[in-house]
Amino acid sequence: MANKDLKTTVQDNVIWKSIFRPGSIYRKGYRDTSRDRALASMNNVLYHLHPVKVKRHGLKLTYTYCLGGLSFFMFILLTVTGIFLMFFYTPAAGAGTEIAYLNMRELSASVTFGQLVRNLHRWGAHAMVFTVFLHMARVFYHGAYKPPREFNWVVGVILLTLTLLLSFTGYLLPWDQLALWAVTVGTNMMGFTPVFGDQVQFVLLGGVEIGPNTLLRWYVLHVLFIPFVTVIFLAVHFWRIRKDGGISGPL
Amino acid sequence: MSDEVSIDQEVYDRLIGEGKSERIARAKAKAASVRKAKLAEGATLGPRPAEQAAKALEEFRANAGGGGGVATKTAAPADAGGGGGRLTPEERAARVAASLGNGGAKEPASMGVPQSGDHTHRLLALVPPAGIQQVQAKQQDKVYTWPHLLLVEFVSLLAAGSLLLIASFFLDAPLGSLANPNEVPSINKAPWYFMGLQELLAYFHPMIAGVTLPGVFLVALMAAPYIDKNPSAKPENRKVANMAFTFFLTFWGLLVIIGSFLRGAGYEWVWPWVQGLGFTL
Ligand code: HEM
């Protein structure tokens, strides 16, 4: 009883009604009818990524294994935990003033939940690379890149590359031995780009070898530039899924 | 009486016999029984859309003949011969013009929109049923996103989230000693997803292993949908593609595994049970 009154009080007022549009599942008088189910998708900005109806076979776990969705979830999780980490991190590593590294030590020693959030960010990054790989494999084995979805596959390959770049630029930020040398292996290879090798390496490193400039550069790439580009391609990816007629199949 | 609509068993059996799916047969059989019940009650079921369209067309032609000021050089000869189920382009133009009140000849009769200066645009036009485009898409078996899809997504999100949280609770991310450009560690490896490239470095010149091959792989990957012209998505029809991709994945996976677990100090081949794991995430 009391429960019901509370619900009515919360839902039956001007403010609540102004936030939740007609048909929202949070609005008073939502009924489990076809009409309200359809409105639930149409009138919610988050659900709006989805069409009102989806093919039944696409719901089977074994069709998508939720891998695209999980890749996206990892991306969101990494954004949230990454913003938390940014509050406690300075991308500075001048000789004798390696603040970045000190910040990492402080993060685990004296920031509440610091270590936990760092762990989430680290393992989440590995998980995202992994789910994106698996998502690609599942798309391939379902022949889901066939017309009209060819271009969305290309967008996907770009997203894969961006995911790897995000992960790789993040790897340098703790500024420990592990980071420095793992990244060195990678950037040495870029130096062998035909013709422009030295220039490419110089631009990426902000010098001839990895140093404080590199850290600042990769920090900006990691927290701003690459996520920005990724979001744009994600938008195209999701939009194309719908324009290409929703999920592919059934097989 | 229960809410359940009874189904017309005869129709149901016939449809099942025709190989229709159980869902479709049930739905059609239900509809059939409802129709029967209505007829039994003496209800007249509405005219079928085609009849309705024909009637509307006839009415329109009759009226247009009387002449609103608009040019209706209708009675198109083609019409008399052909089915006559459609407006000719002239008729359609006349009709649109009439409803928009063009030509200043007449006020449109029933638009219900006042012609005061407040309204700057009026795009509404009457479309005869016959003019509505019929999209011939295959009927698909679909369900509502809410709650069905969103529920699946929510559960998978919770599962993945909790797995990650548990892992993060028990396993700490590594943090080595302060970076020192003058001290090369004995075991020096890229992150695992680049381990394949690093392993290639053991066999090829860095320009091949680090730039050319990854470039070729990426371009080939992007080109895959344009190379694979086979329209079928069924596994049994695309053995070659599946084999090629499996080969590619296995090859890549092997390189990563070798690089991650079987390479030690100085990137020499080692056995992990002899010299330990030279691998950090
Ligand atoms: C950041 C990485 C990515 C995210 C967040 C993402 C997200 C998604 C989502 C949510 C779907 C809906 C179906 C599903 O869950 O499987 C999807 C479909 C698709 N993705 Fe991705 N994706 C990513 C990377 C990729 C990659 C690397 C490829 C391929 C190289 C790719 C190609 C496709 C294609 C072709 C579809 C349509 C599949 C179908 O209709 O069955 N995506 N993606």
Side-chain angles (χ1 to χ4, degrees):
Chain A
M1 255 324 262
N3 196 4
K4 179 131 201 192
D5 291 341
L6 180 65
K7 197 173 163 196
T8 317
T9 324
V10 172
Q11 291 188 330
D12 202 2
N13 62 63
V14 184
I15 297 174
W16 193 267
K17 282 187 197 160
S18 74
I19 299 173
F20 297 105
R21 307 194 62 218
S24 162
I25 55 170
Y26 307 111
R27 196 168 160 118
K28 181 165 164 275
Y30 173 83
R31 291 160 307 150
D32 197 16
T33 60
S34 297
R35 178 178 174 276
D36 280 6
R37 284 179 175 198
L39 286 175
S41 292
M42 286 191 281
N43 282 345
N44 181 302
V45 63
L46 286 179
Y47 305 163
H48 213 123
L49 267 181
H50 294 302
V52 167
K53 281 184 149 196
V54 290
K55 296 177 196 161
R56 182 187 297 270
H57 80 91
L59 283 184
K60 272 198 224 118
L61 191 62
T62 48
Y63 193 72
T64 65
Y65 295 95
C66 294
L67 285 166
L70 286 181
S71 307
F72 185 53
F73 172 56
M74 288 303 156
F75 182 75
I76 300 292
L77 187 102
L78 288 165
T79 309
V80 175
T81 52
I83 290 171
F84 177 92
L85 294 176
M86 280 176 77
F87 285 118
F88 306 101
Y89 179 86
T90 316
T97 56
E98 288 92 352
I99 303 177
Y101 182 74
L102 290 180
N103 285 163
M104 298 308 289
R105 285 250 169 260
E106 282 162 12
L107 191 70
S108 45
S110 50
V111 174
T112 313
F113 292 128
Q115 181 74 48
L116 183 70
V117 177
R118 185 179 165 222
N119 293 347
L120 279 170
H121 197 76
R122 182 85 165 203
W123 304 137
H126 286 306
M128 180 167 167
V129 173
F130 201 58
T131 52
V132 172
F133 262 124
L134 291 182
H135 170 60
M136 179 178 79
R138 116 57 206 155
V139 168
F140 190 94
Y141 286 118
H142 284 170
Y145 56 79
K146 304 206 165 185
R149 299 185 175 77
E150 310 101 303
F151 184 65
N152 217 14
W153 168 272
V154 176
V155 174
V157 176
I158 294 171
L159 281 172
L160 172 70
T161 316
L162 288 168
T163 307
L164 293 177
L165 287 179
L166 269 174
S167 217
F168 193 56
T169 47
Y171 216 81
L172 183 67
L173 303 187
W175 204 250
D176 60 348
Q177 276 292 74
L178 194 65
L180 177 66
W181 292 99
V183 167
T184 306
V185 173
T187 52
N188 278 348
M189 283 191 224
M190 296 175 198
F192 284 96
T193 309
V195 190
F196 305 109
D198 290 345
Q199 286 86 339
V200 167
Q201 207 178 12
F202 193 87
V203 169
L204 279 172
L205 298 186
V208 288
E209 57 173 27
I210 297 181
N213 281 340
T214 321
L215 185 61
L216 181 58
R217 235 162 244 222
W218 285 38
Y219 175 73
V220 175
L221 287 175
H222 183 74
V223 304
L224 218 58
F225 183 72
I226 308 178
F228 174 67
V229 178
T230 306
V231 166
I232 292 176
F233 277 96
L234 280 178
V236 177
H237 198 59
F238 295 157
W239 173 77
R240 274 304 290 247
I241 294 172
R242 291 197 54 181
K243 292 294 155 184
D244 293 340
I247 199 86
S248 62
L251 285 184
Chain B
M1 215 178 102
S2 74
D3 285 347
E4 273 293 310
V5 181
S6 62
I7 67 169
D8 188 326
Q9 194 62 38
E10 210 175 290
V11 174
Y12 182 81
D13 290 341
R14 180 167 55 75
L15 288 171
I16 290 287
E18 283 169 13
K20 291 276 188 306
S21 87
E22 132 80 44
R23 274 169 35 77
I24 290 174
R26 176 169 298 277
K28 290 204 165 158
K30 261 190 194 173
S33 92
V34 170
R35 226 178 290 125
K36 247 192 204 162
K38 282 205 176 150
L39 279 176
E41 282 169 17
T44 44
L45 299 181
R48 310 232 316 283
E51 292 164 11
Q52 217 169 10
K55 216 172 108 207
L57 193 60
E58 237 164 61
E59 260 170 34
F60 168 70
R61 286 201 175 126
N63 292 341
V70 213
T72 43
K73 35 180 181 168
T74 52
D79 206 42
R86 274 168 196 280
L87 290 174
T88 62
E90 294 83 17
E91 281 175 328
R92 182 168 295 131
R95 183 163 180 147
V96 170
S99 7
L100 290 176
N102 269 0
K106 258 207 302 195
E107 278 279 306
S110 63
M111 298 290 288
V113 184
Q115 267 209 323
S116 71
D118 300 354
H119 289 274
T120 53
H121 65 277
R122 288 224 315 258
L123 294 175
L124 191 66
L126 299 175
V127 180
I132 294 173
Q133 216 179 55
Q134 305 241 325
V135 178
Q136 297 276 333
K138 246 205 279 169
Q139 178 73 29
Q140 278 179 325
D141 190 10
K142 288 191 167 183
V143 294
Y144 280 104
T145 296
W146 165 263
H148 303 289
L149 176 61
L150 290 176
L151 193 72
V152 176
E153 285 180 348
F154 185 63
V155 170
S156 76
L157 182 153
L158 278 189
S162 3
L163 250 162
L164 207 63
L165 194 63
I166 292 170
S168 302
F169 196 80
F170 290 109
L171 299 172
D172 277 349
L175 185 64
S177 52
L178 177 65
N180 181 354
N182 301 316
E183 185 199 322
V184 189
S186 59
I187 297 181
N188 185 9
K189 290 186 187 174
W192 64 271
Y193 40 87
F194 284 145
M195 229 32 244
L197 291 184
Q198 198 177 352
E199 181 61 21
L200 282 179
L201 266 185
Y203 313 107
F204 299 105
H205 183 269
M207 190 166 104
I208 308 282
V211 183
T212 317
L213 281 179
V216 169
F217 286 153
L218 268 187
V219 171
L221 209 55
M222 288 204 205
Y226 304 98
I227 297 170
D228 176 9
K229 293 236 165 74
N230 173 4
S232 171
K234 292 201 188 326
E236 59 269 30
N237 295 338
R238 42 198 306 262
K239 297 201 171 105
V240 175
N242 280 352
M243 248 165 55
F245 195 69
T246 308
F247 179 79
F248 176 72
L249 284 189
T250 314
F251 168 74
W252 204 245
L254 273 180
L255 287 185
V256 171
I257 289 173
I258 293 174
S260 301
F261 301 120
L262 300 176
R263 295 291 187 171
Y267 214 68
E268 293 298 322
W269 189 284
V270 296
W271 300 110
W273 53 90
V274 182
Q275 266 138 310
L277 266 185
F279 175 69
T280 5
L281 273 174

